[in-house]
Amino acid sequence: MEEIMVKCNLSKIMGEKRLKIADVSRDIEVNRGTITRMYNEEATRVDLDVVEKLCIYLHIEVGELYEIVKEEKQK
């Protein structure tokens, strides 16, 4: 059985750009907890203004930040 989920690539993108959560949070004026939850893929909802700020700051498109992935669910 397949499970479809939304994957956040923030940790990968920040790693490639050698950015720290605290710096991103400060620079885009978004609560550090929000960035941390996105980074750890624990966020269940994110305001669009946060997504917009991140995309502009990181010079990426929304589709680079989030993607839909299919995984085989083990029984």
Side-chain angles (χ1 to χ4, degrees):
M1 181 176 207
E2 258 184 359
E3 182 178 341
I4 299 173
M5 57 188 269
V6 176
K7 177 170 177 39
C8 181
N9 294 312
L10 184 59
S11 64
K12 176 182 162 206
I13 294 165
M14 285 177 57
E16 290 170 354
K17 296 178 182 277
R18 299 190 189 284
L19 296 169
K20 295 179 182 171
I21 291 172
D23 295 335
V24 173
S25 172
R26 182 193 63 240
D27 291 348
I28 67 171
E29 298 179 345
V30 170
N31 181 286
R32 183 178 176 152
T34 300
I35 302 299
T36 299
R37 284 188 296 280
M38 292 175 69
Y39 185 92
N40 293 322
E41 294 190 62
E42 296 170 346
T44 56
R45 61 181 78 174
V46 180
D47 289 338
L48 290 177
D49 66 318
V50 173
V51 173
E52 180 182 355
K53 286 178 180 183
L54 276 169
C55 288
I56 291 168
Y57 179 76
L58 298 169
H59 306 289
I60 59 171
E61 296 294 324
V62 176
E64 295 173 79
L65 182 59
Y66 285 105
E67 65 179 312
I68 294 179
V69 295
K70 298 176 184 177
E71 291 184 349
E72 278 298 314
K73 199 173 188 179
Q74 295 183 5
K75 292 184 179 183

